[in-house]
Amino acid sequence: MSHTATTSHETGGKNPGAHPIVGHLVPTWLLVFVGTALLMLTAITVAVRYIDIGEFNIVVALGVALVKAILVCLFFMHLRWDRSFNTLVFIVSVVLVLLMMAFLIMDTRQYYDSQFDGNAPNVESTLQANAPGAPVARFKPYSP
Amino acid sequence: MTTLQSQPNHAADAHGTDGAHDGAHGSAEHAKYPFLQHHFDTPYHQFDSAKLGMWLFLATEVLFFGGLFVAYAVLRNRFPEVFSYSSHYLDTIMGGINTCVLILSSLTMALAVRFAQTNRRTGLIICLILTFMGAVGFMVIKYFEYSHKIHDNLVWGTTFYVPPHDAIGEAETKELSVAPTTSITLNPVNPAVFAVPTLAPIPAVDASAIKQASRAPVGLATPTQMAHAEGLPTGEHDPSFAHPATHLVDKKMPANSHLFFAIYYAMTGLHGVHVLAGMVVIGWLLKRAIRGDFSSDYFTPVDVGGLYWHIVDLIWIFLFPLFYLIH
Amino acid sequence: MTTINISQPLDTAARPDNYITHTRGFMSWALTLDHKRIGVMYLVSVLSSFFVGGVFAMLVRTELLTPGQTIPGVTADVYNHFFTLHGAIMVFLVIIPSIPAALGNFVMPIMLGAKDVAFPRLNLFSYYLWIFGALFTVSSLLLGGFDTGWTFYTPYSTTTPAGGVIPALTGVFILGFSSIFTGLNFIVTVHKLRPPGMTWFRMPLFLWAIYATAIIQVLATPVLGITLLLLIVERAFNIGIFDPSMGGDPVLFQHFFWFYSHPAVYIMILPAMGIISELISVHAHRHIFGYRFIALSSIAIAIFSFLVWGHHMFISGQSPLLNTLFSLISFSVAIPSAVKVFNWMSTLYKGNIVLNTPMLYALAFLVLFTIGGLTGIHLATLNTDVHLHDTYFVVAHFHYVMMGSALIGMIGGLHHWWPKITGRMYNENLGRIGCIIVFIGFNVTFFTQFFLGSQGMPRRYYDYQPEYQIYHVISTIGSYIMASGFFLTAYYLLASLFGGARAPANPWGGRSLEWQCASPPPFDNFATQPRVGDCYDFSAIRWDDKEQGYVVDPALDPTTNPRLAAKNSH
Ligand code: HEM
Ligand SMILES: [Cu+2]
């Protein structure tokens, strides 16, 4: 991980015209290739939208998006040649989002069924809906 | 912690850790590279630090948007029918074109970095201009999408309930007793205190004239309930009036469809703000590129600004399927 | 740079040219990129905010002296504004930036042996973000105030008639970014600016703590940002995501909020723990016990802190499944915290303890943090929390950890580094008296609240049953005692600026790098790269009468005396 290793082909500014002294030089053909691949993947994912494959629609759409994202990260954002710590930082942030998402979906799925629209049972009979400060009764009580 | 070795081996230490700076380089480097800041040893040291800083910032961006993605997931999980129904109101073709525009501008940004690295100023300037135009194009298309939706009253929150004037009769509009669409009004909660411009409807009646019960506990009363408490007709016995949250033009629309549009505007809106910020960044890079600031020795701003632009693209890559490609 | 000349004197002689005198004039401070000046500006701003927050605290306590109205004119509604402002100012303006941004900015690069933080301009920008955030938050007072509590729970916060909610939210949003940029800067600094010899496991524990804090700042604060943004939008435009009457979900807001705010409590406590590690080893003149354990427990805490947010929502409607999970994980946070406490105790054991002001603060921290942490365990227990949630028990708990630990740690650190920052010594006896008064006042105020809470007095209430009054009176008296202690502290610290004795470079016998530069430090910290050794090895430190401070004796130092090194390795 020392910088002599990561910059082995970048010869310390001795040849500044041809090579940057820092960073990685990505060949043009590779960038254009990745760009084309991204456009094609977009076309594919749009096309799949018009086919009904049920549950798999979202799987395909997100799968394609994931591939596109990885391409952008690796090549446009140079992660392929960059320090692995930068990749780690990025992955940790994504993992945290996924963690929060998982916990919240787990939680909300459980309590939505116990949530009901309007007042708790018996509140309506004990409270006059028109009393000042009283909660307002909803039109449709929750029915499972 | 073991006791110290007799003499710390500097070279080994510096290289054993991730690039802690290597004191061997000295003022010679600083004389050679005017852009090198005093607390960095080499251009590489400075570049490397800037990159780590940017990646950390990108991580914060991921988490910033992450909150919205989580909200999206929770809402979609709760109201799957809303999402699959309402997404048909979005224009997949427009969204697809926008995706391509962003991808192309990402490509030109990546090329711009390459041109900067290889000392090709003209190429750099052209690529930055193309990237900038991509950003403009994206915003223009987005503008058309938004304005189309707003025209159809496919907006967020309570405003969603309001039918456009031409869709239903004059009498019905009046009956619903809400203000016309997208008027900038005071927050209905407390018009008196702080003038918050809002797109929410206010009841046609003076807010203070609404009976307490219809407002308290505040927040639990929908406009329909307010009307109900007022003794105004609410249309609740009308079979076509499926739910207070139903968009009146499309009576098949499931309840709570406004939430789809709320999260749609929240996410694409925040993304749009990031595109605007990206335009500022690219404009600044362009100015410096024209001035000739960048070279193979020093292109850190281009690289780092590019990373920002790519993350904007990256987020859109996920927004697009999540909103436009729901079956 | 690779060989060290033993006879080369350390760069510690007080010089007329230091960071304070280097340049002059208002603009030289306002536009400074020097981390030391930015740290001092933060310090002044944070301490002023502490004063403002303290005034509101006194108002709250005084109002609670009797049931019903006590202070003329303070109605229940006004009272709500008071405690909200008190909480928001103390949390967002004082405790979160206090140690990292103020003390951390000052000492962190010096301790590391760097010339500055990685991004000096970003550092200044963070400071101005802090200023703007503070202005927005406080301006809410003029725009109708806000009465939501510092937690901004929906749907109350989206519907309260108070007009200052949106400005306050905006202010906290901006403060969040200030905190993010500080954290980002520190992470890069620790990674990239360590000088030769400063390996990860040679870093002072304060730096480990600051580093762990910075991780949380960077990873948690954006979620607060988006939450507040959604809340602003919700309040201004009624988008309904958090509004139950529109199909939204208020519990979602709480999830979002605590996803940030539980890690945020570790943003507050971790740096204080770092300070305590320094104080205890330096003032007990003993090598820190279990260096690696303390260092890695900071990282462990940072990681765990992301997994326990739900313990604030046990009775908010969170599902039993997650309640159980979060309760379980919350218990496990106690482990790394206890690891630290035990290591500090072991460091003290047979140490050469000097009971000066920083040490007294460190000891106070140990007591108060233990109480605070253990009551956290009570609260993390599901069935107990049903009774204790939203009572004064919670108030007591978090004051023990936030004020009794985080703030006391910060004040201890302030005393520890005061000679370094200002170049002056404060009055040691007044310092000790001040610390003792604060400690007594604190316990009188908040220990009482444990009784109050366990007997059922809810928090944030204006009025109460007469049987609670005796506790409220005791608590209020305690708060007056504490306030007098703080005034005394402020007095002698300020007085030291004018009449204090000149501070030597190393008044306490510390070994980390900040004690190897002059007091106050020169503009560029070190004229020559300092020598990095084991910063907890005090064997080579001896008192020097001429210096009136401690010096490193090369003859006693294994890094410079090969004979000693050979002996040590056996
Ligand atoms: C040993 C570790 C800790 C545990 C297990 C713990 C546990 C808890 C629990 C379960 C609650 C919720 C109580 C309720 O609302 O019913 C709570 C509240 C709180 N804790 Fe802790 N805690 C710990 C350490 C800390 C630390 C170190 C801090 C701050 C520096 C802190 C600050 C707070 C705050 C501010 C609240 C109240 C938030 C509010 O509702 O306004 N805690 N703690
Ligand atoms: Cu917590």
Side-chain angles (χ1 to χ4, degrees):
Chain A
M1 278 302 293
S2 77
H3 67 68
T4 38
T6 42
T7 56
S8 53
H9 58 293
E10 298 139 12
T11 44
K14 283 194 194 97
N15 191 2
H19 284 294
I21 52 167
V22 296
H24 183 88
L25 198 57
V26 190
T28 313
W29 68 264
L30 184 55
L31 293 177
V32 174
F33 179 79
V34 171
T36 320
L38 289 172
L39 291 178
M40 275 162 60
L41 284 170
T42 310
I44 291 173
T45 181
V46 171
V48 172
R49 180 201 188 281
Y50 295 97
I51 315 164
D52 189 356
I53 43 175
E55 289 280 292
F56 283 100
N57 272 101
I58 175 118
V59 179
V60 171
L62 284 182
V64 172
L66 190 66
V67 173
K68 284 161 73 180
I70 290 174
L71 285 178
V72 170
C73 284
L74 284 184
F75 299 103
F76 284 180
M77 300 172 93
H78 296 196
L79 268 189
R80 193 179 175 304
W81 304 277
D82 213 341
R83 282 185 186 287
S84 38
F85 188 76
N86 291 350
T87 315
L88 179 71
V89 168
F90 197 63
I91 289 179
V92 165
S93 68
V94 175
V95 166
L96 270 183
V97 173
L98 293 179
L99 176 115
M100 189 176 170
M101 204 180 271
F103 270 61
L104 258 66
I105 287 184
M106 213 152 78
D107 190 37
T108 49
R109 283 189 91 101
Q110 306 236 340
Y111 69 67
Y112 278 158
D113 284 350
S114 62
Q115 240 183 18
F116 43 83
D117 215 7
N119 291 319
N122 302 327
V123 168
E124 272 154 54
S125 55
T126 44
L127 284 179
Q128 261 194 325
N130 269 343
V136 178
R138 295 292 299 266
F139 304 116
K140 278 195 303 179
Y142 174 76
S143 55
Chain B
M1 183 79 184
T2 52
T3 47
L4 278 182
Q5 307 305 301
S6 59
Q7 179 62 54
N9 180 341
H10 289 165
D13 280 340
H15 288 180
T17 58
D18 52 348
H21 65 145
D22 184 348
H25 304 270
S27 45
E29 297 270 336
H30 288 267
K32 190 160 149 211
Y33 304 111
F35 55 84
L36 189 59
Q37 289 179 305
H38 77 127
H39 52 293
F40 293 116
D41 291 332
T42 60
Y44 179 76
H45 189 203
Q46 180 167 337
F47 172 77
D48 199 29
S49 307
K51 284 273 261 208
L52 176 58
M54 194 61 196
W55 276 103
L56 285 165
F57 181 72
L58 297 189
T60 70
E61 287 284 5
V62 169
L63 282 151
F64 196 62
F65 274 97
L68 289 176
F69 278 104
V70 172
Y72 172 95
V74 167
L75 290 175
R76 178 161 178 180
N77 192 12
R78 184 172 193 184
F79 305 112
E81 74 287 356
V82 165
F83 278 71
S84 56
Y85 191 92
S86 308
S87 94
H88 290 273
Y89 277 95
L90 302 184
D91 190 332
T92 312
I93 298 304
M94 283 240 213
I97 294 175
N98 246 350
T99 312
C100 296
V101 168
L102 269 195
I103 286 175
L104 284 174
S105 78
S106 241
L107 173 62
T108 52
M109 192 71 224
L111 288 171
V113 174
R114 200 195 136 85
F115 281 125
Q117 284 173 319
T118 48
N119 280 330
R120 295 214 289 269
R121 185 160 147 251
T122 328
L124 171 63
I125 292 172
I126 289 174
C127 273
L128 285 176
I129 290 175
L130 286 176
T131 313
F132 191 86
M133 278 164 51
V136 174
F138 180 88
M139 289 314 282
V140 168
I141 295 176
K142 205 77 224 152
Y143 168 79
F144 283 119
E145 274 192 84
Y146 274 176
S147 53
H148 186 221
K149 297 233 155 32
I150 290 173
H151 179 258
D152 284 353
N153 205 35
L154 294 167
V155 285
W156 55 85
T158 36
T159 320
F160 194 71
Y161 308 138
V162 188
H165 288 287
D166 49 347
I168 53 170
E170 191 67 35
E172 262 177 291
T173 315
K174 199 153 157 270
E175 190 177 278
L176 278 148
S177 64
V178 281
T181 327
T182 59
S183 62
I184 303 291
T185 59
L186 296 185
N187 189 326
V189 173
N190 184 16
V193 189
F194 179 57
V196 182
T198 168
L199 289 169
I202 46 164
V205 283
D206 182 4
S208 60
I210 301 177
K211 259 185 280 171
Q212 268 295 311
S214 66
R215 292 202 295 152
V218 261
L220 289 181
T222 61
T224 330
Q225 290 167 334
M226 292 187 184
H228 187 67
E230 270 304 291
L232 296 171
T234 56
E236 63 184 286
H237 303 298
D238 177 356
S240 64
F241 194 97
H243 187 279
T246 306
H247 190 262
L248 292 187
V249 184
D250 180 354
K251 304 205 160 143
K252 289 204 294 291
M253 203 173 222
N256 290 318
S257 289
H258 67 97
L259 284 175
F260 174 84
F261 292 96
I263 195 80
Y264 165 77
Y265 282 105
M267 294 183 85
T268 54
L270 188 66
H271 180 261
V273 171
H274 278 77
V275 174
L276 290 179
M279 284 161 68
V280 175
V281 171
I282 298 165
W284 172 74
L285 289 176
L286 194 56
K287 188 186 131 216
R288 293 193 64 179
I290 292 172
R291 204 166 66 193
D293 283 3
F294 303 125
S295 67
S296 59
D297 286 349
Y298 178 65
F299 59 91
T300 312
V302 187
D303 196 308
V304 166
L307 285 180
Y308 173 81
W309 187 245
H310 295 312
I311 197 101
V312 173
D313 182 24
L314 213 58
I315 285 163
W316 181 259
I317 284 180
F318 283 96
L319 290 185
F320 176 58
L322 287 180
F323 284 107
Y324 292 80
L325 301 183
I326 306 173
H327 201 76
Chain C
M1 266 314 297
T2 43
T3 49
I4 293 205
N5 184 352
I6 299 179
S7 58
Q8 166 201 325
L10 284 175
D11 185 26
T12 52
R15 287 190 274 168
D17 177 36
N18 56 43
Y19 80 97
I20 303 173
T21 57
H22 186 69
T23 46
R24 290 188 185 276
F26 177 77
M27 290 318 275
S28 80
W29 281 79
L31 296 180
T32 181
L33 298 181
D34 182 4
H35 68 96
K36 298 182 285 303
R37 287 191 169 187
I38 294 174
V40 170
M41 297 197 299
Y42 263 121
L43 193 63
V44 173
S45 316
V46 163
L47 291 177
S48 323
S49 313
F50 180 53
F51 177 75
V52 178
V55 169
F56 282 112
M58 289 299 118
L59 286 169
V60 167
R61 274 313 333 154
T62 308
E63 174 50 48
L64 289 171
L65 262 179
T66 61
Q69 199 176 68
T70 308
I71 309 174
V74 177
T75 58
D77 198 38
V78 174
Y79 174 81
N80 290 348
H81 287 77
F82 280 176
F83 76 68
T84 302
L85 267 161
H86 161 67
I89 289 180
M90 286 302 196
V91 170
F92 296 114
L93 288 179
V94 180
I95 302 190
I96 289 182
S98 66
I99 301 179
L103 291 178
N105 245 325
F106 192 96
V107 289
M108 189 263 233
I110 311 184
M111 269 184 150
L112 201 62
K115 288 207 182 86
D116 207 324
V117 292
F119 308 118
R121 254 171 279 163
L122 188 67
N123 202 12
L124 185 66
F125 181 60
S126 302
Y127 176 68
Y128 282 109
L129 282 181
W130 187 93
I131 292 283
F132 278 112
L135 287 180
F136 265 102
T137 311
V138 177
S139 75
S140 68
L141 256 181
L142 306 174
L143 296 167
F146 69 121
D147 57 354
T148 59
W150 77 279
T151 48
F152 300 113
Y153 273 13
T154 51
Y156 186 70
S157 56
T158 49
T159 50
T160 165
V165 178
I166 288 188
L169 289 170
T170 316
V172 176
F173 179 83
I174 299 174
L175 288 168
F177 276 90
S178 164
S179 174
I180 288 177
F181 290 137
T182 305
L184 192 155
N185 223 331
F186 285 4
I187 293 184
V188 180
T189 309
V190 168
H191 270 269
K192 303 293 177 192
L193 293 187
R194 276 174 292 118
M198 181 61 85
T199 56
W200 280 96
F201 285 105
R202 260 186 219 158
M203 288 199 312
L205 289 166
F206 179 59
L207 295 187
W208 272 99
I210 287 277
Y211 179 72
T213 310
I215 294 178
I216 309 181
Q217 283 177 305
V218 166
L219 292 180
T221 321
V223 179
L224 175 75
I226 195 67
T227 311
L228 297 180
L229 207 58
L230 272 176
L231 200 55
I232 293 172
V233 175
E234 174 93 44
R235 187 173 163 83
F237 302 116
N238 289 341
I239 63 168
I241 288 177
F242 298 137
D243 186 345
S245 73
M246 291 167 69
D249 184 354
V251 184
L252 189 64
F253 172 82
Q254 298 189 17
H255 272 300
F256 279 173
F257 183 81
W258 290 113
F259 187 86
Y260 163 74
S261 289
H262 182 81
V265 309
Y266 288 97
I267 296 178
M268 309 175 198
I269 195 74
L270 271 174
M273 291 170 157
I275 288 185
I276 298 306
S277 303
E278 299 298 317
L279 298 195
I280 287 201
S281 73
V282 170
H283 296 278
H285 298 279
R286 189 155 182 273
H287 194 290
I288 191 88
F289 186 87
Y291 173 91
R292 270 174 201 250
F293 278 95
I294 300 186
L296 293 178
S297 67
S298 291
I299 304 292
I301 289 179
I303 294 169
F304 272 123
S305 73
F306 282 99
L307 302 171
V308 299
W309 76 87
H311 66 213
H312 296 271
M313 302 168 55
F314 287 155
I315 63 164
S316 299
Q318 188 174 237
S319 61
L321 173 69
L322 257 71
N323 277 353
T324 320
L325 251 162
F326 278 126
S327 173
L328 209 91
I329 313 176
S330 297
F331 286 137
S332 59
V333 181
I335 298 170
S337 311
V339 164
K340 285 179 187 275
V341 173
F342 286 123
N343 279 307
W344 293 324
M345 308 264 269
S346 317
T347 307
L348 286 174
Y349 178 67
K350 286 194 171 166
N352 187 0
I353 299 174
V354 183
L355 284 180
N356 53 17
T357 316
M359 187 54 151
L360 285 180
Y361 275 108
L363 294 178
F365 176 98
L366 284 187
V367 175
L368 301 179
F369 178 68
T370 307
I371 298 178
L374 287 179
T375 51
I377 302 288
H378 299 194
L379 293 172
T381 314
L382 278 176
N383 43 4
T384 332
D385 188 63
V386 172
H387 178 64
L388 294 177
H389 176 72
D390 268 357
T391 67
Y392 265 78
F393 194 92
V394 175
V395 177
H397 158 70
F398 71 70
H399 279 88
Y400 265 86
V401 276
M402 299 215 293
M403 175 156 200
S405 315
L407 209 94
I408 290 290
M410 139 92 178
I411 295 176
L414 184 63
H415 284 84
H416 184 66
W417 285 303
W418 186 262
K420 189 54 65 184
I421 297 175
T422 64
R424 302 284 180 166
M425 301 300 288
Y426 52 84
N427 184 324
E428 193 58 63
N429 283 332
L430 286 181
R432 290 191 187 117
I433 296 171
C435 176
I436 291 170
I437 296 178
V438 168
F439 182 75
I440 293 174
F442 179 87
N443 281 298
V444 174
T445 310
F446 291 111
F447 207 79
T448 328
Q449 296 187 357
F450 284 126
F451 299 114
L452 206 49
S454 55
Q455 293 181 15
M457 169 83 204
R459 70 193 278 203
R460 294 179 175 167
Y461 271 37
Y462 171 71
D463 203 356
Y464 51 83
Q465 299 292 317
E467 64 255 36
Y468 293 130
Q469 188 175 4
I470 176 69
Y471 296 109
H472 276 298
V473 171
I474 296 175
S475 182
T476 303
I477 291 173
S479 70
Y480 294 155
I481 299 177
M482 190 161 44
S484 59
F486 281 125
F487 276 116
L488 177 65
T489 309
Y491 161 73
Y492 69 74
L493 284 181
L494 288 178
S496 79
L497 288 183
F498 303 104
R502 285 218 169 274
N506 190 353
W508 315 121
R511 189 73 215 262
S512 44
L513 293 184
E514 82 270 29
W515 305 113
Q516 297 189 29
C517 69
S519 303
F523 172 68
D524 46 6
N525 298 351
F526 303 99
T528 52
Q529 245 337 313
R531 184 167 24 143
V532 179
D534 179 352
C535 57
Y536 295 108
D537 177 13
F538 301 108
S539 57
I541 295 269
R542 64 167 173 76
W543 176 264
D544 186 304
D545 272 335
K546 200 166 96 265
E547 278 273 320
Q548 279 302 301
Y550 287 87
V551 294
V552 178
D553 193 336
L556 297 173
D557 185 359
T559 54
T560 46
N561 189 335
R563 280 231 319 280
L564 274 179
K567 217 170 80 197
N568 275 359
S569 60
H570 291 312

